[in-house]
């Protein structure tokens, strides 16, 4: 199985400041035939299912604010929130869909400082 | 508007069978993969498997010997069965829609989740 490791486990950022969450996979998620990284990012708030933010490592899902961006390639990825809003408090997960089973990171809890 | 509505028994005894169903509203099953995921404090988010409208199935190898995912296109719904449950199967179970790879592959719509507790 591909192991997904997120860092940090928790993060406190001031409103309006930048937040960055890292995700490292135990093997490359880059599919050479289409030059796509098979990685997604999700946001989960208490009592709710996860919500898709980013797929292909850097493509924002429809309706997601542009303060959310994804970057990285191969085995190292980052989710960045450019200007933290109060409603962004949540747990964030990365997921690889390069190979079965489609594994998730352990989650990063984002709070307001 | 796409909605996934899931239901099933929430309290099971060890060795009983977990059975969950997810009804899909607003879109036909074809063109997507329909996924089950569970979430527990100890194991985090765990991908169980997915099925397409024609019955093509992929399971998590760690659960493959126990789990069955099926689809009923006439009712536009899909189901999960997990027999012989144990305490380790206690989790919130989610159904979700997966976009096919050419469209990105992410899980873009989710059910509300069902807490399944296994306890004697």
């Amino acid at each position: 199985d591909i192991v997904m490791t997120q860092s940090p486990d928790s993060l406190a950022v001031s409103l309006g400041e930048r937040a960055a969450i890292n995700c490292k996979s135990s093997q490359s998620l880059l599919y050479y035939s289409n030059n796509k990284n098979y990685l997604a990012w999700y946001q989960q708030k208490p009592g709710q299912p996860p919500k898709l933010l980013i797929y292909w490592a850097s493509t924002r899902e429809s309706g997601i604010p542009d303060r959310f961006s994804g970057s990285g390639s191969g085995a190292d990825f980052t989710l960045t929130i450019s200007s933290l809003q109060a409603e962004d408090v949540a747990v964030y997960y990365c997921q690889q869909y390069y190979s079965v089973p489609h594994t998730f990171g352990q989650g990063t809890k984002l709070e307001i400082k | 508007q796409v909605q996934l509505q899931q239901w099933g028994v929430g309290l099971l005894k060890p060795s009983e069978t977990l059975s969950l169903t997810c009804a899909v509203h607003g879109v036909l099953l074809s063109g997507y993969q329909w996924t089950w995921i569970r979430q527990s404090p100890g194991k985090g988010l765990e991908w169980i498997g997915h099925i397409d409208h024609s019955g093509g199935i992929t399971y998590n190898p760690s659960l493959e010997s126990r789990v069955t995912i099926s689809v009923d296109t006439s009712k536009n719904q899909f189901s999960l069965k997990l027999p012989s449950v144990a305490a380790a199967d206690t989790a919130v179970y989610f159904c979700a829609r997966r976009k096919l790879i050419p469209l990105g592959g992410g899980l873009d719509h989710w059910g509300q989740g069902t807490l399944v507790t296994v306890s004697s």
Side-chain angles (χ1 to χ4, degrees):
Chain A
D1 296 4
I2 295 177
V3 177
M4 305 298 291
T5 304
Q6 293 181 226
S7 61
D9 289 334
S10 63
L11 181 62
V13 174
S14 300
L15 290 172
E17 295 299 304
R18 176 179 167 274
I21 298 169
N22 300 304
C23 176
K24 186 181 290 283
S25 57
S26 60
Q27 67 184 71
S28 175
L29 305 182
L30 178 62
Y31 205 67
Y32 284 100
S33 65
N34 60 6
N35 200 36
K36 299 287 191 186
N37 288 280
Y38 284 35
L39 180 108
W41 287 98
Y42 299 88
Q43 175 194 67
Q44 187 177 30
K45 297 181 180 180
Q48 297 183 17
K51 178 182 181 180
L52 178 64
L53 300 175
I54 303 282
Y55 59 93
W56 290 146
S58 60
T59 302
R60 202 176 302 113
E61 174 70 350
S62 175
I64 300 302
D66 60 8
R67 65 179 181 273
F68 291 91
S69 64
S71 62
S73 184
D76 285 283
F77 303 92
T78 301
L79 173 70
T80 302
I81 306 172
S82 60
S83 176
L84 189 71
Q85 306 299 303
E87 61 265 31
D88 301 334
V89 169
V91 179
Y92 292 83
Y93 296 93
C94 59
Q95 183 208 19
Q96 66 81 19
Y97 47 99
Y98 182 90
S99 69
V100 169
H102 297 171
T103 45
F104 291 84
Q106 81 277 15
T108 295
K109 186 174 184 179
L110 178 58
E111 299 173 312
I112 304 293
K113 186 186 291 184
Chain B
Q1 183 181 0
V2 178
Q3 287 188 327
L4 277 65
Q5 181 183 15
Q6 59 181 101
W7 67 90
V9 174
L11 181 60
L12 295 169
K13 291 182 167 52
S15 79
E16 291 185 333
T17 295
L18 180 155
S19 181
L20 298 173
T21 299
C22 184
V24 179
H25 304 283
V27 69
L28 294 178
L29 296 181
S30 59
Y32 301 93
Q33 289 173 324
W34 302 94
T35 306
W36 288 100
I37 286 164
R38 65 183 182 181
Q39 185 172 31
S40 61
K43 296 192 74 174
L45 287 162
E46 183 178 23
W47 182 83
I48 298 172
H50 61 222
I51 189 168
D52 62 36
H53 75 285
S54 62
I57 306 171
T58 304
Y59 293 123
N60 187 326
S62 70
L63 294 167
E64 188 166 13
S65 63
R66 298 175 58 207
V67 68
T68 300
I69 297 175
S70 59
V71 66
D72 186 337
T73 54
S74 68
K75 295 182 179 179
N76 219 48
Q77 60 189 38
F78 61 108
S79 299
L80 172 71
K81 286 193 189 303
L82 185 64
S84 304
V85 295
D89 296 310
T90 293
V92 177
Y93 287 74
F94 294 101
C95 59
R97 183 182 85 167
R98 184 191 182 210
K99 297 191 285 187
L100 294 181
I101 286 300
L103 299 178
L107 298 162
D108 64 345
H109 286 87
W110 294 65
Q112 76 277 17
T114 300
L115 173 61
V116 176
T117 302
V118 180
S119 175
S120 55

